[in-house]
Every structure is written in C-alpha cells, then in structure tokens.
Amino acid sequence: MDPFMQAAIDEARAGLAEGGIPIGSVIVHQGRIIGRGHNRRVQQGSAILHGEMDAFENAGRQKASVYRAATLYTTLSPCAMCSGAILLYGIPRVIVGENRTFMGEEDLLRSRGVAVEVLQDATCIDLMRGFIAAKPELWNEDIGV
C-alpha cells in the first residue's frame, strides 16, 4: 500500500470515529505530507469541509509553485467543489482510492490536464459502502441529494 494513500485512509477512519463521513485526503509535496484532512461537515457543522477541502485548509497558505508540484490523494472521487479547488490551485496529479460508490468530476479534471489515477482500493470501497448502508441520509446530504 502506498504510504500516502494509507495516510488518507487513516484520515477517513478518524472521521468515521468522530461520527463523520469516512473520506480522507492528503496533499504531498516533494515526498512529504503538507496537508491532511478528513470530511468534517458533521463534526464542525460545515457546508464545505470535505476531506480534500480540510486537507487544503490544513496545508495553509502555500506558494502556487508548491501546489503546482503537489499530488493530492483522496479516498473517494472528488466532487465538483473539491475538483474546483484542485483546479484553482493547479494540483497536477490526483490519486483516487475509489470511484465505485461515487463518481466525482474526474472527466473535468482530466479535461483540464490533471493526471487522475483510480486505485479501486478495497479498504476505501468497504469504508464507504458500510457508511452509506448505515447512514444513507447523511451521505445524501453530503453529496447534495
């Protein structure tokens, strides 16, 4: 297992343990994690703290050159909001844990030159399937259904 995807999975598990949605993300620059986060919409009563957005927030202000040389790892295919942030900050590469339970804006990212790799990782799939089965209403709220 890639240690950075493992870090994103660890973030997802932390979110689940806090009563939130199990989606995690890390931003990696030059072989080290500069931002990590997990979906904290429930915990913080937030409209925007998806895993990727939390990782950006925790990375803090970075020079554009840092983001343009970074890779974002996320346990689930990024939604329109998170994909917008990826494009805004010029992240060139995204590694996705899985897109079977939710297909985000991968086509948009690719159309704008972002390299997107999907792993279909069994742990990521199991985390989301279990969560969606247990709390479908919370999942639907998270994706705007």
Side-chain angles (χ1 to χ4, degrees):
M1 164 74 64
D2 181 306
F4 299 125
M5 182 52 69
Q6 185 59 57
I9 291 169
D10 293 345
E11 285 291 327
R13 287 183 173 139
L16 185 62
E18 295 167 1
I21 299 166
I23 302 167
S25 182
V26 298
I27 301 169
V28 176
H29 179 257
Q30 295 183 344
R32 71 177 189 87
I33 295 172
I34 61 168
R36 61 189 314 138
H38 52 271
N39 187 305
R40 296 189 308 143
R41 290 184 67 253
V42 173
Q43 301 91 311
Q44 299 293 321
S46 171
I48 62 167
L49 279 181
H50 283 187
E52 300 91 334
M53 301 301 278
D54 194 38
F56 275 116
E57 182 68 16
N58 290 325
R61 286 180 61 197
Q62 300 288 333
K63 291 181 181 181
S65 60
V66 170
Y67 284 128
R68 284 195 303 264
T71 298
L72 184 141
Y73 290 75
T74 181
T75 58
L76 186 66
S77 186
C79 74
M81 175 178 65
C82 297
S83 293
I86 289 163
L87 293 173
L88 177 67
Y89 291 108
I91 302 284
R93 184 168 177 241
V94 176
I95 309 296
V96 176
E98 67 104 350
N99 65 8
R100 290 185 184 161
T101 58
F102 177 79
M103 173 58 79
E105 299 296 329
E106 294 174 23
D107 288 342
L108 171 64
L109 291 171
R110 288 185 180 106
S111 78
R112 298 281 296 274
V114 178
V116 178
E117 180 182 346
V118 182
L119 305 178
Q120 301 303 13
D121 179 82
T123 300
C124 295
I125 294 167
D126 291 345
L127 272 169
M128 286 309 300
R129 285 196 176 150
F131 176 79
I132 293 168
K135 297 187 177 179
E137 70 292 338
L138 191 54
W139 171 241
N140 287 338
E141 174 190 318
D142 196 65
I143 58 172
V145 174

